[in-house]
Amino acid sequence: MSILRKLTLIAGLSVFSLSASAEVAVIVAASSGASPDKGAVANIFLGKDKSLKPIDQKSWTPAKDAFYSNVVGKNEAQLKSYWSGLVFTGKGTPPKSVDSDAAVVGEVAGSGEAIGYVDSTAVNDSVKVLFTLP
C-alpha cells in the first residue's frame, strides 16, 4: 500500500472518529415552553406521548444511534420491529423523518410543537437545547 493511500485512510478514519464522537442535542423551538425530561422524550418518540411532534432522521447516523440507544433504549433492529408491530396493528405511525440535521433544525424551529435531535454542531439560535448526550 502506498504512503499516500495510507495517509488518506488514516485521515478518513480520523474524520469518522470525530463525527462519531460528537454530542447529540435534543432540541425544541427557541420560543417553546416545553421542557420534557429524558423519559418523556422517549415516550414522545415511541408514540406514547403526543405532547410534542417528534422529528426523526431518515438515515441511521451516529446521532440517531446515540439518541435511540441512550434515550429510547432501542437499536435499529429493535426500533424497526417496534414500529412494524404498531403499524401492522393500526396502533401507531412512526415519527416524521427528514434527511439531515439542518432539516431537523428547520422543522423544529418552525413549530412550537416539534422536538428533534441533532449533532450538537448543527444547533443555532432558532432552537433550544433540552439536554445533550455524549
Side-chain angles (χ1 to χ4, degrees):
M1 183 181 282
S2 74
I3 189 74
L4 183 57
R5 279 187 87 186
K6 287 180 184 176
L7 289 174
T8 302
L9 179 61
I10 291 169
L13 291 174
S14 297
V15 168
F16 178 75
S17 295
L18 288 174
S19 66
S21 65
E23 285 188 331
V24 176
V26 177
I27 59 171
V28 294
S31 60
S32 175
S35 57
D37 63 14
K38 195 173 174 180
V41 171
N43 285 331
I44 291 166
F45 275 85
L46 291 173
K48 297 175 181 179
D49 179 339
K50 307 283 188 203
S51 63
L52 292 170
K53 176 182 154 191
I55 306 297
D56 209 348
Q57 301 212 17
K58 283 185 184 175
S59 300
W60 200 265
T61 63
K64 186 170 184 171
D65 184 56
F67 174 78
Y68 278 100
S69 295
N70 292 305
V71 176
V72 181
K74 294 191 182 299
N75 63 31
E76 185 175 13
Q78 292 168 326
L79 188 66
K80 285 180 181 179
S81 176
Y82 174 83
W83 283 114
S84 292
L86 288 180
V87 169
F88 180 75
T89 60
K91 294 181 179 175
T93 56
K96 176 180 181 176
S97 60
V98 296
D99 290 323
S100 66
D101 285 338
V104 172
V105 170
E107 289 276 337
V108 169
S111 169
E113 300 175 356
I115 186 169
Y117 59 89
V118 295
D119 185 292
S120 61
T121 61
V123 172
N124 62 35
D125 291 343
S126 68
V127 294
K128 173 174 67 174
V129 176
L130 297 176
F131 57 88
T132 59
L133 308 165

